[in-house]
Amino acid sequence: MSLVYRPAQVGDLATAEALVVASINDLTERHGFGPMATASPPNFQLFSLRDDPDGLWVAEDGGDIIGFAWSWVCGDVWFLAQLFVDPAQQGRGIGNELLKLTLEHARKSRAAHKALITFTFNRVSQGLYIRHGLFPKMPIYFFGAPREKVIAGLPEPPLRSIAIDDTTAHMKRLTEIDAHAVGVAREKHHRYLLNDPATTGVMLFAGSECVGYAYIGSNGHIGPLAVTRADVLGDAFTTALKMAANSSSEKISAFLPGTCESALSVAVNHGMRITFPMLLMASPGYGDWTQYLPRNPGFM
């Protein structure tokens, strides 16, 4: 059977998720980190497929899905959420062809900026991305710790928080914060998170001033988190840590960019440790994240 590249369909997403998990674990185990990924329902993939199907592609051989690429666009930012090929099928140029298809998505969307998050030790993929104009910008570290270790020395939340609601006023404020932090409004992604029953979103206030937002998952994971000024990032992350530690989750985790010194210091000083290193790659002129903590490598 010939190799076929085609747009992804709803029925492909669970199979693609299994392929992604197996590919990630193959990579992390080969580099001494052990298995890192576990399968989860492809909810955000499904959301992206319904929102903008041009960004999701599969490579199929003999009826079997052996590669998957998924990108999304918000405003003028194109983001490559996933690009994985079955480890047994690598070396056939499949990843390069899938990347070309998703880059066409960027071209059609007239995106001014392109970005992705990959594993620091994934040297082959980094070379592929550099050939297509995406360059290393900064490290992003996945931090984690047992809840009991984190909560022991946490102070009271330095910022006041209120629940985010799906109102025009809150959405307007969220888009303003994102414009400061990541250079693009992401209203549709906030609506996605607000409809996720496993995620709690809060606005963060210093006195009467709204200085940011944070999302905390029922699994103790923090992110995305964004602030209007870099000088309040440490307080914002401390507040989110306190909320996560007050939950019933056994573990606390977050992705912290290497440019976010205050958040890194808070994490280390409260018992969190680096689990594995990742890397933001982007087109020239994008990727100065000093006011933003991503949710994960697929969501940004």
Side-chain angles (χ1 to χ4, degrees):
M1 298 291 288
S2 60
L3 182 60
V4 174
Y5 299 91
R6 61 170 176 81
Q9 302 171 0
V10 172
D12 299 324
L13 297 182
T15 301
E17 171 69 2
L19 169 69
V20 168
V21 169
S23 299
I24 290 174
N25 287 336
D26 175 78
L27 180 65
T28 57
E29 287 187 88
R30 282 192 285 113
H31 286 84
F33 289 91
M36 291 291 182
T38 56
S40 58
N43 295 330
F44 189 49
Q45 294 92 318
L46 179 60
F47 170 87
S48 297
L49 182 66
R50 290 171 174 168
D51 175 69
D52 186 2
D54 285 351
L56 292 91
W57 292 84
V58 297
E60 193 174 61
D61 194 356
D64 296 326
I65 293 176
I66 59 172
F68 178 62
W70 159 34
S71 60
W72 52 257
V73 173
C74 267
D76 62 358
V77 172
W78 170 91
F79 190 81
L80 182 61
Q82 290 180 344
L83 174 58
F84 288 96
V85 175
D86 182 337
Q89 302 293 333
Q90 292 174 5
R92 298 175 60 185
I94 296 169
N96 190 56
E97 290 302 314
L98 286 171
L99 181 58
K100 287 179 181 178
L101 289 167
T102 56
L103 286 170
E104 177 64 13
H105 177 224
R107 189 195 66 78
K108 289 168 60 178
S109 303
R110 298 183 179 179
H113 308 292
K114 306 179 188 71
L116 60 92
I117 298 172
T118 188
F119 291 101
T120 302
F121 45 81
N122 195 356
R123 297 171 296 171
V124 174
S125 291
Q126 288 174 45
L128 173 63
Y129 299 140
I130 289 171
R131 284 196 296 275
H132 287 276
L134 291 98
F135 301 97
K137 296 291 181 176
M138 64 183 176
I140 297 177
Y141 301 105
F142 184 63
F143 274 80
R147 171 181 170 273
E148 292 78 8
K149 191 170 186 178
V150 174
I151 200 171
L154 274 175
E156 288 304 306
L159 300 180
R160 179 171 59 92
S161 63
I162 65 169
I164 299 172
D165 57 44
D166 192 4
T167 60
T168 300
H170 273 203
M171 286 298 158
K172 181 175 184 294
R173 188 57 182 147
L174 289 170
T175 59
E176 291 170 349
I177 295 167
D178 282 337
H180 283 287
V182 290
V184 63
R186 297 185 67 186
E187 181 176 340
K188 64 182 181 181
H189 290 164
H190 286 288
R191 294 190 186 279
Y192 168 82
L193 291 173
L194 292 175
N195 285 312
D196 180 1
T199 304
T200 299
V202 294
M203 294 285 204
L204 300 172
F205 290 81
S208 61
E209 179 189 4
C210 179
V211 295
Y213 68 77
Y215 289 91
I216 299 94
S218 59
N219 61 352
H221 184 69
I222 297 166
L225 181 154
V227 292
T228 56
R229 311 188 313 265
D231 64 294
V232 297
L233 181 64
D235 284 348
F237 184 56
T238 301
T239 301
L241 270 183
K242 186 70 171 180
M243 293 182 63
N246 284 340
S247 72
S248 58
S249 175
E250 295 182 359
K251 295 182 179 180
I252 309 296
S253 61
F255 284 94
L256 305 182
T259 50
C260 295
E261 292 93 344
S262 59
L264 290 166
S265 294
V266 169
V268 170
N269 291 337
H270 290 93
M272 300 182 75
R273 296 294 180 263
I274 296 171
T275 302
F276 57 86
M278 304 202 77
L279 178 69
L280 175 69
M281 301 186 72
S283 54
Y286 187 76
D288 181 22
W289 290 355
T290 59
Q291 301 165 225
Y292 184 72
L293 310 181
R295 176 178 174 85
N296 58 47
F299 189 92
M300 190 181 96

